Amino acid sequence: RCYLAVLKPFLCEYTRFGGLVAADIQAKGRLSNPALYGRFALERLTLSGKQAPIEPLDSKLELLLSGYQATLAGHWQTPQGPLALTGQANWLVMANWFAELKLKGNDLQLNIPDTQLTFSPDLQFSAGPERGSLSGSVTVPAGKIKVNDLPENAIRVSRRA
């Protein structure tokens, strides 16, 4: 077990940063195609401050390893709603390995300097030995972007608009 608070000095922009990492993983078999057993977990992630794009209130990410396959399940509760991450992978036949991830959330708030967006991701990522794909959608029903400076050749919005 490891507490993430030890990393806080490296992340000085954040007002709060913490969490707990726990892992118990064993490898068996050949180095070229190992069988992995165990669990990796990230729990109680806290991250807030000026540079934090999303502020999780409660979180848990768990990777379960059972030989030549893995499953991933995670959730983050934010002030606006939940964000879920699920996935699976298989490497029994290394020439045919695959991994799939799904990310889904509703009405989340993204805060980065000069930008605030409300967004709902519904994304799927899959990968194999010779290919990878990303599909899905990200809906952005509302947002504010502050433009500090416009280039000289930009057309300004009419005062009557």
Side-chain angles (χ1 to χ4, degrees), residues 24-26 36-40 63-67 69-71 91:
D24 180 13
I25 299 172
Q26 297 177 0
L36 301 174
Y37 299 90
R39 174 182 177 266
F40 174 88
L63 177 67
L64 297 176
L65 301 160
S66 55
Q69 59 187 12
T71 56
W91 59 95

Side-chain angles (χ1 to χ4, degrees), residues 85-149:
L85 177 66
T86 58
Q88 60 181 346
N90 188 299
W91 59 95
L92 178 61
V93 179
M94 285 301 284
N96 260 347
W97 66 268
F98 77 88
E100 298 173 336
L101 289 174
K102 294 180 181 179
L103 179 70
K104 186 163 181 65
N106 290 310
D107 296 328
L108 303 172
Q109 187 71 36
L110 178 68
N111 295 306
I112 53 178
D114 300 325
T115 304
Q116 293 177 331
L117 297 175
T118 300
F119 71 105
S120 298
D122 187 1
L123 300 171
Q124 299 83 38
F125 173 74
S126 62
E130 296 182 20
R131 64 174 172 74
S133 70
L134 176 64
S135 61
S137 64
V138 178
T139 305
V140 182
K144 280 185 185 179
I145 299 174
K146 180 182 175 187
V147 178
N148 293 318
D149 294 309

Side-chain angles (χ1 to χ4, degrees), residues 69-83:
Q69 59 187 12
T71 56
L72 178 70
H75 76 273
W76 289 265
Q77 184 63 44
T78 73
Q80 295 75 33
L83 179 64

